[in-house]
Amino acid sequence: MNIHEYQAKELLAKFGVAVPAGHAALSVDEAVAAAGKLPGPMFVVKAQIHAGGRGKGKFKELPADAKGGVRLTKSLDEVKAAATEMLGNTLVTIQTGEQGKQVNRLYVTDGADIEKEYYLSMLVDRATGRIAMVVSTEGGMDIEAVAHDTPEKIQTITIDPAEGFMPHHGRAVAFALNLSGDLAKQAQKLASQLYDAFLATDMAMLEVNPLVETKPDASGKAELLVLDAKVSFDSNALFRHKDILELRDLTEEDPAEVEASKYDLAYIKLDGDIGCMVNGAGLAMATMDIIKLNGAFPANFLDVGGGATTEKVTAAFKIILADPAVKGILVNIFGGIMKCDIIAEGIIAAAKEVNLSVPLVVRLEGTNVEKGKEILAGSGLAIVPADDLGDAARKIVAEVKQAA
């Protein structure tokens, strides 16, 4: 589960992390009021969407030369103008795709006088079974480009969960960022705070880009600030973080995926035209592969799981058919815990309820398979049976081509 930048910063601040002052806003008036609470004289107005590259993004509804989703302003009037242009419009970034995302929330923060930008992130390294802290002196840039062009500028520090975060880890972070003196001490403290936040909230990924060093103030002191934060959580652990679950913004997620989650279905929309309903992630991947091998493309990944009910299968069918791109459906079930007759009943119930109008190929195998096939054969529906996975893929591709 992802959260917005302002939510991430509010969460990190609870662990003592230094972030610029800021306030979320859902309207132009709220944005102006938020800026009025800040010391100024500079205010940063940021579009809040679940995608990176906002600063370089473009709004569909605005002229090509209009500024992107992160704007530096110097007065309340400029804040109002920026908020007016952003709210309700569609921001297209390198991560949103051409469709972009509608901006429904803003984050107005205090401006920072930046001396240098750094990069710092944390994630679970499954290869080592440890939390990895990735740091670079090249902050504010696309880290993938840095990794490709200058990999020597990225250093990874792994932390053994049995040992936990130790002082030497903090020193390694400061060394990797070429910091010394008080800034090195700040980096060590910050790294420890981020590790605590990562572990305590079951994060899957935490990215600070940029982490900034401010210009020295009148006393000569510079400060490390988390200027931007991107956070995602392990969805399997959310049951123990009710407060974090409340931060979920459903408007940022695909409506079909949200609906699928209500029935504990694993659904991901893809770009093809053949809908897939399968039980088991491995079988679903194989089904998508064989569809592509036969010259077509899957419209989705959908795993109904091992213990699906008729209600669950019916919901899965509705979700698939809600996608206007779907021109045909392939159901591929291997019944172990899942019973083929239950799948058959669900298919028939769903087909009748939604007035199925696209070709449907069904391949059943496993527990109660003969009973399932009898139920489908006696349904009176135009269901095309298949003997095996290869046969099913060939038939659904042929059916879709014929229907076209």
Side-chain angles (χ1 to χ4, degrees):
M1 187 190 87
N2 299 318
I3 59 175
H4 290 291
E5 173 196 356
Y6 77 91
Q7 295 169 324
K9 286 183 176 177
E10 289 173 357
L11 178 63
L12 293 176
K14 294 178 181 178
F15 290 85
V17 175
V19 300
H23 305 280
L26 300 178
S27 68
V28 174
D29 288 343
E30 286 184 9
V32 174
K37 299 175 185 177
L38 301 173
M42 294 188 296
F43 313 100
V44 184
V45 183
K46 296 184 171 185
Q48 297 296 283
I49 60 172
H50 288 177
R54 292 168 295 163
K56 296 179 180 178
K58 294 293 181 182
F59 286 94
K60 281 187 176 182
E61 297 83 358
L62 301 181
D65 60 348
K67 294 180 180 178
V70 178
R71 304 188 183 184
L72 181 63
T73 61
K74 297 179 181 180
S75 69
L76 296 185
D77 286 339
E78 288 185 8
V79 170
K80 182 176 181 179
T84 301
E85 288 194 344
M86 290 187 190
L87 283 171
N89 284 336
T90 309
L91 181 60
V92 179
T93 79
I94 193 171
Q95 291 187 9
T96 64
E98 294 182 1
Q99 74 278 8
K101 282 181 174 287
Q102 181 172 302
V103 176
N104 299 314
R105 307 184 190 199
L106 298 176
Y107 186 37
V108 183
T109 73
D110 201 23
D113 200 1
I114 301 171
E115 178 71 25
K116 180 84 171 67
E117 296 184 343
Y118 306 97
Y119 176 93
L120 192 157
S121 68
M122 297 178 66
L123 67 158
V124 178
D125 184 350
R126 301 193 184 281
T128 63
R130 299 181 176 189
I131 293 174
M133 192 168 283
V134 182
V135 294
S136 175
T137 54
E138 306 305 299
M141 296 177 60
D142 182 351
I143 196 64
E144 289 80 9
V146 176
H148 181 270
D149 299 333
T150 53
E152 71 278 2
K153 293 183 178 180
I154 297 177
Q155 294 191 41
T156 301
I157 300 150
T158 58
I159 303 165
D160 188 335
E163 181 184 50
F165 190 92
M166 302 294 286
H168 69 83
H169 294 123
R171 291 194 294 271
V173 170
F175 182 79
L177 297 178
N178 293 329
L179 297 174
S180 60
D182 182 62
L183 284 172
K185 293 179 181 178
Q186 289 186 46
Q188 294 172 45
K189 182 179 178 181
L190 172 66
S192 177
Q193 292 167 333
L194 293 177
Y195 179 83
D196 289 344
F198 190 96
L199 215 59
T201 60
D202 288 301
M203 292 182 187
M205 189 275 294
L206 163 61
E207 183 179 57
V208 176
N209 189 24
L211 169 67
V212 301
E213 170 190 341
T214 64
K215 291 183 178 178
D217 59 18
S219 65
K221 180 178 174 60
E223 187 178 10
L224 286 182
L225 286 177
V226 170
L227 208 62
D228 195 2
K230 184 177 182 181
V231 171
S232 62
F233 300 93
D234 182 350
S235 298
N236 294 315
L238 287 174
F239 71 93
R240 56 191 182 197
H241 299 289
K242 303 298 183 185
D243 55 332
I244 291 174
L245 190 56
E246 291 176 358
L247 302 178
R248 185 181 183 188
D249 183 359
L250 296 180
T251 65
E252 288 290 320
E253 301 179 29
D254 186 291
E257 293 180 16
V258 173
E259 182 67 16
S261 68
K262 296 177 182 177
Y263 296 91
D264 197 26
L265 297 167
Y267 173 90
I268 299 173
K269 188 183 182 318
L270 302 173
D271 296 329
D273 58 6
I274 295 180
C276 305
M277 187 173 76
V278 191
N279 68 318
L283 188 59
M285 297 296 288
T287 301
M288 294 191 296
D289 285 345
I290 203 165
I291 287 173
K292 193 167 183 180
L293 186 64
N294 281 271
F297 293 88
N300 65 272
F301 170 101
L302 195 152
D303 175 11
V304 297
T309 61
T310 299
E311 178 189 25
K312 200 171 183 179
V313 174
T314 303
F317 243 87
K318 288 181 179 179
I319 290 167
I320 292 174
L321 290 170
D323 182 356
V326 171
K327 307 302 180 188
I329 300 175
L330 170 57
V331 176
N332 182 27
I333 298 296
F334 185 86
I337 298 173
M338 168 68 70
K339 295 180 176 61
C340 293
D341 55 323
I342 297 295
I343 287 289
E345 290 171 357
I347 290 171
I348 293 169
K352 290 180 177 179
E353 190 170 338
V354 300
N355 295 318
L356 183 66
S357 59
V358 298
L360 172 62
V361 173
V362 179
R363 180 255 182 166
L364 298 177
E365 193 58 72
T367 306
N368 294 351
V369 63
E370 295 304 326
K371 186 176 180 181
K373 289 180 177 179
E374 289 175 9
I375 292 172
L376 292 177
S379 68
L381 299 173
I383 298 173
V384 179
D387 298 324
D388 54 45
L389 181 51
D391 182 45
R394 288 189 292 271
K395 284 181 176 177
I396 189 58
V397 172
E399 290 283 340
V400 169
K401 287 182 178 178
Q402 184 177 348

